[in-house]
Amino acid sequence: MKKTATLAILLLNFCAAAALQAQTKTGIHLLNSHKVSGDESWDYLLADHTQNKLYLSHGIQVNIINATTGDSVGIIKNTPGVHCIAIVPALKKGYTSNGKSGDCTVFDLHTNAVLKKIKVGDNPDAIFYDDFSKKLFVFNGHSLDASIIDPVKDEVIATIPLGGKPETGVSDGKGNVYVNLEDKNEVVCINTHNFKVTGRHKLAGGDEPSGLAIDRLTSRLFVGCANKILFVLDAATGQKIAALPIGEGSDGVAFDPQLKLIYSANGEGTLTVIKEINANKFTVLENVKTQKGARTLALDYESHHIFLPTADLKPGEGKKSGRFPGTFRVLTYGK
C-alpha cells in the first residue's frame, strides 16, 4: 500500500514537472514602467510607431507620451469617458470615442489641436480605422450599433444595428469587419461595401468576448473571453479551430504577424503568450507576470513591444476597484 502511494506521488510530481516544462519561456519581460499623471480610469490605448507615441484613454482626456522615455508630449482634452483612439496617418488626423458625451473628437496628429466633434451613437466604445474601406468604425455600447465615419468629410455616413453590445472590431483587409458582441457571446461580420451584417459566429462555451485580433494571412480570429478561454475561429465560416486557456479578466488581445504570437492581457496580472504554429495548430507558451489591473494592451509592430496600462488597485472587484492616487502607469514588455 505504501509502495503504491509512493508511486502515485512520484507520478503526480512528474506530471506537474512536465506541465511546467510545457510552458516554454519566451524571454518576454518588463522593460520599462512609465508613470503618467492623473488618477482617472483607463481603457484602450494605441501605439503609433511612426511617431513613437502612445495614446492613452484616461478619464476625460487622452494622454500622449513618448513610447521610449515616457515623457508627456501632449494631451487631448475634453474627451469625457474616452474609451479608444484611432488614427488616419494619410489624413494626419486622430479620433477618440467619448463614451459619456456620445461623440468622437477629431484632432490633428501633429499639433493635437481639436478639429471637430462628430455625434455618433450612445456610449461609443471601441473605434478603429479600416484600411480597406477607408472608413472609421465606431462601436456604440448602449445603442447597440456601429457608426461609420468618412474621415475625409468627418461625417457619419451609415449606422448599422448589431443586435447586441459591441466590443472590439477588426478588419480582414478584404471587405469584412468583425466585432464581438459581449452580451450575446458571438462575433458579427459586417460587409464594408454595403455596411450590412452578413454573418454571426456563435461562441459556444465562451462568455463575454471582449478582446479580438485577426491573422489576415490565415483568416483566423482570436477571441478573448471572460471565462478564461481564447477561441480561434475561421473568420469566413465561424468554425472553432481551437480553445486555449488564458488568464482571468482578459480585455485586450493582439496578434503579431511577424512573430506569429497572440497576446491576451489579463486583469489578474498576466500576459498569456500563444504561438501560432500553423493555421490549425496553436500552443500556449507562457503566462508572463505583469501587474493586476493590466487588462488592455497595445502592440508596436515594429519593435514588437507590448504596452499595458494599470495602477495600484484598492481591494475590490474587477474594473470597479478603486485606485491608489499617483500610481497610474504604462508597462512596456518585450525581449
Side-chain angles (χ1 to χ4, degrees):
M1 186 72 174
K2 189 179 290 185
K3 185 177 180 180
T4 302
T6 302
L7 287 172
I9 292 171
L10 288 172
L11 181 61
L12 286 172
N13 288 338
F14 174 81
C15 291
L20 287 173
Q21 290 176 357
Q23 282 208 345
T24 306
K25 294 298 182 181
T26 61
I28 295 171
H29 63 284
L30 180 65
L31 299 174
N32 279 305
S33 178
H34 298 310
K35 185 177 178 180
V36 181
S37 62
D39 298 314
E40 298 293 333
S41 61
W42 64 91
D43 200 353
Y44 295 97
L45 69 164
L46 175 74
D48 178 10
H49 74 268
T50 61
Q51 298 188 86
N52 196 34
K53 289 179 179 179
L54 289 177
Y55 294 84
L56 309 166
S57 62
H58 199 191
I60 59 172
Q61 65 185 35
V62 172
N63 287 89
I64 310 169
I65 67 171
N66 181 290
T68 303
T69 66
D71 293 338
S72 175
V73 294
I75 295 176
I76 311 297
K77 296 183 178 180
N78 191 25
T79 59
V82 59
H83 285 285
C84 195
I85 307 98
I87 60 174
V88 187
L91 299 177
K92 301 177 183 179
K93 291 191 288 188
Y95 298 78
T96 73
S97 58
N98 310 323
K100 291 185 178 179
S101 53
D103 55 26
C104 290
T105 297
V106 188
F107 64 94
D108 185 290
L109 269 186
H110 299 292
T111 68
N112 301 325
V114 173
L115 304 175
K116 187 176 181 179
K117 287 207 172 186
I118 306 169
K119 194 67 180 175
V120 288
D122 190 6
N123 189 32
D125 193 346
I127 178 174
F128 84 100
Y129 176 66
D130 172 29
D131 55 346
F132 179 84
S133 65
K134 311 298 183 187
K135 301 295 185 292
L136 286 148
F137 284 71
V138 186
F139 299 106
N140 306 304
H142 289 170
S143 51
L144 311 182
D145 53 22
S147 300
I148 312 304
I149 294 175
D150 181 341
V152 174
K153 300 177 180 179
D154 282 332
E155 296 176 354
V156 173
I157 60 170
T159 300
I160 308 170
L162 298 174
K165 182 179 182 296
E167 279 286 333
T168 313
V170 295
S171 166
D172 67 358
K174 302 173 184 177
N176 298 295
V177 161
Y178 301 89
V179 60
N180 291 329
L181 295 189
E182 186 180 36
D183 58 340
K184 300 298 182 182
N185 298 333
E186 63 184 21
V187 177
V188 168
C189 178
I190 299 168
N191 184 300
T192 66
H193 297 284
N194 57 20
F195 302 124
K196 302 288 186 182
V197 172
T198 56
R200 296 180 182 273
H201 302 333
K202 296 293 184 180
L203 296 172
D207 188 27
E208 297 182 14
S210 182
L212 182 66
I214 188 170
D215 181 347
R216 290 181 171 185
L217 185 63
T218 61
S219 190
R220 295 295 181 258
L221 293 169
F222 310 115
V223 189
C225 296
N227 57 333
K228 300 193 288 186
I229 298 174
L230 183 140
F231 288 110
V232 181
L233 304 181
D234 183 310
T237 66
Q239 178 187 355
K240 189 184 296 181
I241 305 299
L244 301 156
I246 58 175
E248 184 176 7
S250 172
D251 200 19
V253 175
F255 175 68
D256 190 320
Q258 289 184 316
L259 302 181
K260 299 295 182 181
L261 293 176
I262 306 145
Y263 303 105
S264 170
N266 312 312
E268 68 177 17
T270 61
L271 176 73
T272 304
V273 184
I274 299 167
K275 179 70 173 180
E276 180 187 58
I277 298 170
N278 57 48
N280 297 310
K281 188 175 181 181
F282 303 83
T283 185
V284 176
L285 297 181
E286 187 178 5
N287 283 296
V288 179
K289 185 178 179 182
T290 58
Q291 292 185 27
K292 190 173 182 181
R295 68 182 191 276
T296 57
L297 79 170
L299 175 64
D300 186 319
Y301 297 96
E302 294 291 322
S303 68
H304 307 288
H305 289 170
I306 307 112
F307 304 95
L308 305 99
T310 191
D312 292 341
L313 303 181
K314 296 178 180 179
E317 295 295 328
K319 299 179 183 179
K320 301 300 181 182
S321 300
R323 297 167 293 279
F324 287 101
T327 64
F328 181 58
R329 57 197 180 276
V330 178
L331 310 174
T332 306
Y333 281 79
K335 294 185 180 181

